[in-house]
Amino acid sequence: MARQFFVGGNFKMNGSVKAITDIINHLNDAKLDSKTEVVIAPPALYLLLAREHLRSGLEVAAQNVFDKANGAFTGEISVEQLKDSNITWTLIGHSERRVILQEDDAFIASKTCAALEGGLGVILCIGETLEQREAEKTIHVVQSQLKAVADRIKDWSKVVIAYEPIWAIGTGKVASTEQAQEVHAAIRKWLASTVSQEASDSTRIIYGGSVSDKNCKELAKQPDIDGFLVGGASLKPAFVDIINSHL
């Protein structure tokens, strides 16, 4: 069975009530590819606003979630709270949290396990630094990040893997089509050998890192690129063009 194309919009720490409402109204009014799954991830403060106004068929994701059910964890949001608010997805492991907040592979794996057990879909972010790429360690790095998760979970059916080379996020630099496809193919091969052939065939692997309406169509043609995790461009009208890049 063909993998459904998936486009996520990560708003990061951007937006206001008006700005996010405007983005949602634009998405609601746009003609979107009905075969593409669309998920937007506004800042936590605006999750309920987004869910209230976003039309049916489009989903909302948190940008992060905690691995404990409840308790004295100031500033965190639980899986149960997201589910209670009809938020169906969460990002986990974004490089900005790995680098700035020092979240390690074990913590990311724990959060992924908690999210899946609680019924959320997970957009699992992985990727290498420029130094790691130049040292030809890209495949080793992403496999290590994935292995930490594979040691904790068995069912990958609600996981979307987002490969985001850190050196391409917000820099305007984009991995070449060939570079992106090479890593995606390696991830799929790893899934087949480490998890199962079924997981390899069905798990969606999406690309992130300065995705725009200018480069998305060529990337979308690659056999192992199943969509995009979009940063800055998800705040702009061109996000619709990226959603429709697989038409």
Side-chain angles (χ1 to χ4, degrees), residues 6-52:
F6 185 104
V7 176
N10 178 13
F11 295 2
K12 306 191 181 185
M13 197 175 71
N14 293 299
S16 61
V17 169
K18 182 182 185 306
I20 288 172
T21 302
D22 287 347
I23 292 168
I24 289 170
N25 287 339
H26 182 67
L27 289 173
N28 287 345
D29 293 340
K31 184 173 175 56
L32 304 179
D33 181 0
S34 61
K35 295 180 180 178
T36 293
E37 187 168 6
V38 179
V39 178
I40 61 169
L45 186 61
Y46 304 120
L47 285 169
L48 288 172
L49 173 78
R51 184 60 280 167
E52 180 182 352

Side-chain angles (χ1 to χ4, degrees), residues 72-89:
F73 304 106
T74 301
E76 296 296 337
I77 298 176
S78 73
V79 173
E80 185 177 326
Q81 288 168 334
L82 292 176
K83 288 284 288 182
D84 185 49
S85 301
N86 201 24
I87 307 302
T88 52
W89 287 86

